[in-house]
Amino acid sequence: MQVILEIFQKHQPITDKREHMYKIKYKGFTLIEVMIVLGIVAIIATIAIPNYQNYVLRSNRAQGLAVLQTNMLAIEQFKTRNLTYPAASQISAGTVAGYLDKTNTGNSILGYNISYSLVSEVVTLTMTPNSTLTNKETLCSVITLNSNEVQTAKDTGGADKTTECWANSR
């Protein structure tokens, strides 16, 4: 009798196949998991996008200041060789051959316009944001550099922002 009990215990009873049909394993994500991930992505986006836009604005401003300084150098080279500054018509027309690239003056450079003026043997280059940046560029809305190496910058309200604008460009 004990032998029969041992045989019964060793062998598992035969289970119904239908029992396994209802134990389907689903693969994928639950709705709550997807919502948590979307929430995290939204939080990161609200922080990253404004920082990225500020970075792009500062880098465009830095490149515009580099163009401003390059133009001033070309104008000073012109004066060294010709003993006079170029006329405004020469600069705006881009006719200072070998000194100044005509695409760097009077045209839009990364959202900025550069203008030239000559008063009493002092050249002043002024960089202002064009229509694409007018609303975004509020810190450094007017940046000037003159031939006496005076750098200035003003915000949209007219307050002096020379230190912030020129220091952040380097």
Side-chain angles (χ1 to χ4, degrees), residues 111-132:
Y112 293 93
N113 294 321
I114 295 178
S115 60
Y116 169 86
S117 68
L118 175 62
V119 178
S120 302
E121 289 297 308
V122 176
V123 172
T124 303
L125 294 178
T126 305
M127 185 174 82
T128 55
N130 65 14
S131 60
T132 60

Side-chain angles (χ1 to χ4, degrees), residues 8 14 23-24 42 62 72 75 86 99-100 113 115 119 125 129 135 146 151-152 160-161 167 170:
F8 246 135
I14 299 172
K23 293 185 180 179
I24 299 172
M72 184 58 75
I75 291 168
Y99 301 100
L100 182 63
N113 294 321
S115 60
V119 178
L125 294 178
N135 295 334
N146 73 18
Q151 304 167 336
T152 62
D160 185 29
K161 298 292 181 179
R170 296 181 181 126

Side-chain angles (χ1 to χ4, degrees), residues 8 11-20:
F8 246 135
H11 295 301
Q12 295 287 331
I14 299 172
T15 58
D16 192 9
K17 288 183 179 180
R18 283 180 273 153
E19 184 178 309
H20 293 292

Side-chain angles (χ1 to χ4, degrees), residues 104-168:
N104 287 343
T105 301
N107 294 330
S108 178
I109 303 159
L110 298 170
Y112 293 93
N113 294 321
I114 295 178
S115 60
Y116 169 86
S117 68
L118 175 62
V119 178
S120 302
E121 289 297 308
V122 176
V123 172
T124 303
L125 294 178
T126 305
M127 185 174 82
T128 55
N130 65 14
S131 60
T132 60
L133 283 181
T134 302
N135 295 334
K136 298 174 189 172
E137 180 62 282
T138 57
L139 178 66
C140 306
S141 61
V142 177
I143 299 174
T144 60
L145 173 65
N146 73 18
S147 57
N148 294 333
E149 297 182 12
V150 176
Q151 304 167 336
T152 62
K154 297 187 185 295
D155 65 6
T156 53
D160 185 29
K161 298 292 181 179
T162 302
T163 306
E164 294 90 342
C165 297
W166 282 95
N168 288 337

Side-chain angles (χ1 to χ4, degrees), residues 23-79:
K23 293 185 180 179
I24 299 172
K25 291 186 178 181
Y26 293 101
K27 295 179 183 178
F29 299 105
T30 63
L31 181 61
I32 195 74
E33 291 170 332
V34 172
M35 294 304 290
I36 289 171
V37 169
L38 287 176
I40 292 170
V41 168
I43 290 170
I44 291 172
T46 57
I47 295 169
I49 290 173
N51 285 339
Y52 174 73
Q53 290 171 338
N54 189 26
Y55 168 77
V56 169
L57 185 64
R58 281 192 344 252
S59 65
N60 287 349
R61 184 186 313 134
Q63 193 165 0
L65 290 174
V67 168
L68 197 69
Q69 291 168 333
T70 302
N71 287 353
M72 184 58 75
L73 180 63
I75 291 168
E76 290 296 331
Q77 287 175 344
F78 182 90
K79 182 183 183 203

